[in-house]
Amino acid sequence: MSESNLKSMADLVSLSKRRGFIFQSSEIYGGLQSCWDYGPLGVELKNNIKERWWKSMTYRDDVVGIDASIFMHPTVWKASGHVDGFNDPMIDCKQCKERYREDKIDATKPCQKCGAKDSFTEARDFNLMFNTQMGPVEDESAKVYLRPETAQGIFVNFLNVQTTMRKKLPFGIAQIGKAFRNEISPGNFIFRTREFEQMEMQYFLKPGTQQDAMEAWKETRLQWHIDNGIRPEKLRWHPHVGSELAHYADAASDIEYEFPHGFDEMEGIHSRTDFDLRQHQEFSGKKLEYLDAADNNKKYLPFVVETSVGCDRCLLAVMADAYRLENEGDKEKERTVMKFDPKLAPIKVAVLPLMKKLEEPARKLYSEVQKHYRSEYDLAGSIGKRYRRQDEIGTPFCITVDFDTLEDNAVTIRDRDSMEQERIPLDNVINYLNDKLKF
Ligand code: ATP
């Protein structure tokens, strides 16, 4: 058997649309650039990723969760540096007016769109924050921003959480939520969009202990991606050095995944010092210091190590990594299969009666399986077509109810990856699945 990986993003975009993972936003109106809608299978996959992240990050003694609002006091973004400094360098092609992020292209080469040579303008700063007005009065005082990161909702709540939850350093605050950036050049499907979801955690600690915490979190986070089923050889570290390192950070490293367009950032682990808490303390005039009972009641601003991963980028990596094309060109044997780790697969089990006449026992089995696992019931079309659909949506197990079932009270269970089939007594189906889908 021959097997190949995902070669181009177009194949994934097409599968996502064909099978109900991801649709272009407002498609019937011609779409809205860089905006995407998750379909029924996409939302299941996304929820599975978020649930895994939430459990792995907060089902531990030293991390708690919050859910802060998207709109925040405008001064938050002044303090954080986003109003003055959240800029990307933008250049335009003078011929076709296409805009580019200067740091993402080679401006000595011709324009990628129209091919014009030496046609770029000088770079100028472009602020990535979206803003809007809050309330009925349209003036500068009503201006609010759509948060460009979830982290600031955590920093401004640091003392609220620490005191109410009686937390001692080190401890973390985790959050999942939408963020918005008016990206100059969005693209590569859901890799870079203007509305996206982040899963972030800020770990507050005693100054001087950040290096050890950074190393520990790096290991934990890399392992989380591997446990999502991503092949380790498709992951690598990209440490920030020199001018890459943000002015407020004393160390930073990205986890990169090898997307079809090359290795690119999926998650950032940053040692952010006390920059954010210090800025908020100064701009709000409120003390944000921690009282360290374990160290002579000293008061100080904690340092922070953060882990920040885009949910959509992570989902893109999970899909890209799961994609396989088997026996390409062989009319009989070619198939596309999404080899999702079963714990992330949107649908775990499909129940497929061979004929309409077998609906009764099939429906009975389906309602039993559905109590335990997210399942699908499918009666339409040939069994071959139905298998092909389940392979393409990555369903680990298909259960076929056939005429023999009426005689032997058993069904055939097909494994997605090996395509091997086993005859299992109806009474044993749930045990069989429980055994195979243990996670
Ligand atoms: P980039 O260099 O790709 O613009 P960044 O370094 O600015 O990203 P961070 O601010 O560290 O990104 O954001 C943390 C994570 O949020 C990123 O690793 C990524 O997974 C996700 N993310 C950031 N911007 C976007 C976007 N426009 N679309 C989708 N995900 C994003």
Side-chain angles (χ1 to χ4, degrees):
M1 185 197 70
S2 70
E3 182 183 89
S4 59
N5 293 328
L6 180 67
K7 289 187 199 121
S8 93
M9 197 69 97
D11 292 337
L12 195 58
V13 176
S14 152
L15 181 140
S16 297
K17 181 180 156 83
R18 189 168 73 245
R19 294 304 188 189
F21 283 91
I22 301 168
F23 309 118
Q24 194 181 16
S25 161
S26 323
E27 193 187 345
I28 58 167
Y29 289 98
L32 181 65
Q33 204 209 351
S34 96
C35 293
W36 300 91
D37 297 340
Y38 287 86
L41 298 180
V43 73
E44 288 293 333
L45 180 59
K46 201 178 186 198
N47 284 343
N48 291 344
I49 291 173
K50 287 196 276 190
E51 192 189 347
R52 267 214 80 224
W53 186 87
W54 190 256
K55 280 191 176 162
S56 78
M57 297 302 274
T58 70
Y59 285 25
R60 41 186 288 163
D61 276 349
D62 57 348
V63 182
V64 288
I66 65 160
D67 182 12
S69 73
I70 287 173
F71 292 128
M72 301 182 74
H73 193 288
T75 312
V76 166
W77 305 111
K78 196 85 192 137
S80 67
H82 284 82
V83 171
D84 298 318
F86 193 49
N87 303 318
D88 275 342
M90 174 173 73
I91 54 172
D92 295 331
C93 170
K94 289 181 208 151
Q95 291 284 328
C96 70
K97 311 284 180 242
E98 184 71 4
R99 290 215 146 137
Y100 296 97
R101 231 174 97 173
E102 193 216 26
D103 57 333
K104 295 279 175 190
I105 64 159
D106 181 354
T108 60
K109 292 205 170 133
C111 169
Q112 286 165 15
K113 191 170 175 211
C114 70
K117 287 186 188 142
D118 301 324
S119 68
F120 291 117
T121 58
E122 289 290 306
R124 37 201 208 290
D125 278 343
F126 176 77
N127 192 290
L128 300 184
M129 277 203 295
F130 281 99
N131 61 65
T132 185
Q133 247 116 23
M134 183 165 272
V137 184
E138 287 191 22
D139 65 16
E140 207 33 41
S141 67
K143 185 166 166 183
V144 287
Y145 299 95
L146 270 70
R147 65 179 176 201
E149 61 176 29
T150 56
Q152 299 305 324
I154 289 180
F155 288 122
V156 299
N157 276 302
F158 162 66
L159 271 191
N160 281 339
V161 174
Q162 189 263 317
T163 51
T164 54
M165 301 309 287
R166 296 168 298 151
K167 285 287 173 202
K168 299 204 168 25
L169 295 188
F171 77 94
I173 307 177
Q175 172 168 222
I176 300 178
K178 289 264 183 172
F180 305 83
R181 294 182 190 178
N182 200 3
E183 297 278 2
I184 296 167
S185 19
N188 283 322
F189 197 21
I190 53 168
F191 179 82
R192 189 180 301 285
T193 53
R194 294 191 170 117
E195 170 182 343
F196 54 98
E197 216 159 351
Q198 288 187 314
M199 306 187 285
E200 293 197 302
M201 191 274 316
Q202 270 67 38
Y203 201 66
F204 299 88
L205 42 81
K206 193 169 179 174
T209 62
Q210 66 269 30
Q211 227 170 353
D212 287 348
M214 173 102 183
E215 286 316 308
W217 279 112
K218 275 174 63 181
E219 202 181 311
T220 305
R221 295 304 307 147
L222 185 69
Q223 192 56 47
W224 184 81
H225 291 285
I226 294 169
D227 292 344
N228 273 346
I230 299 222
R231 290 165 289 183
E233 64 271 23
K234 302 281 254 170
L235 296 166
R236 74 175 189 197
W237 285 106
H238 170 90
H240 289 205
V241 288
S243 61
E244 260 186 308
L245 195 61
H247 63 94
Y248 51 75
D250 65 9
S253 207
D254 296 336
I255 298 174
E256 294 189 336
Y257 174 76
E258 191 177 17
F259 292 97
H261 64 273
F263 272 101
D264 214 337
E265 172 178 344
M266 180 161 58
E267 168 152 5
I269 324 277
H270 311 126
S271 176
R272 291 178 77 125
T273 67
D274 62 1
F275 173 81
D276 302 86
L277 288 180
R278 190 169 292 285
Q279 289 290 104
H280 288 306
Q281 178 166 277
E282 188 186 322
F283 278 72
S284 68
K286 303 269 160 41
K287 284 265 177 241
L288 295 177
E289 286 170 336
Y290 172 75
L291 177 80
D292 194 345
D295 188 5
N296 299 316
N297 285 342
K298 266 193 211 144
K299 285 184 179 174
Y300 55 84
L301 288 174
F303 271 30
V304 170
V305 167
E306 97 176 336
T307 70
S308 174
V309 58
C311 182
D312 314 78
R313 265 190 208 178
C314 177
L315 180 142
L316 183 63
V318 164
M319 288 193 82
D321 210 66
Y323 186 101
R324 297 285 194 296
L325 181 58
E326 289 180 0
N327 302 313
E328 189 176 1
D330 181 329
K331 263 194 188 152
E332 304 264 289
K333 292 194 182 142
E334 180 177 307
R335 68 165 187 155
T336 305
V337 52
M338 294 296 272
K339 292 196 168 173
F340 291 127
D341 186 295
K343 60 183 171 290
L344 292 186
I347 306 288
K348 313 289 188 221
V349 184
V351 177
L352 315 171
L354 214 50
M355 309 276 286
K356 200 162 169 34
K357 281 185 196 149
L358 298 163
E359 277 231 82
E360 201 192 309
R363 281 255 168 223
K364 202 166 150 221
L365 175 65
Y366 173 61
S367 63
E368 192 52 36
V369 174
Q370 183 76 295
K371 281 185 207 152
H372 303 262
Y373 298 103
R374 186 82 179 81
S375 338
E376 229 181 55
Y377 181 83
D378 189 5
L379 180 68
S382 72
I383 192 73
K385 275 199 176 140
R386 282 183 272 166
Y387 278 152
R388 212 168 310 143
R389 173 184 151 76
Q390 296 304 332
D391 287 343
E392 282 203 354
I393 69 174
T395 306
F397 295 103
C398 285
I399 308 181
T400 315
V401 179
D402 55 29
F403 282 109
D404 288 342
T405 307
L406 302 175
E407 305 293 322
D408 66 0
N409 278 322
V411 287
T412 302
I413 305 192
R414 173 187 179 266
D415 179 279
R416 176 195 69 196
D417 298 344
S418 66
M419 291 191 283
E420 267 164 24
Q421 308 198 353
E422 273 186 83
R423 197 81 188 154
I424 305 291
L426 275 168
D427 289 350
N428 264 351
V429 168
I430 298 298
N431 281 343
Y432 177 92
L433 293 172
N434 286 347
D435 190 45
K436 297 275 182 183
L437 293 168
K438 233 184 270 157
F439 34 76

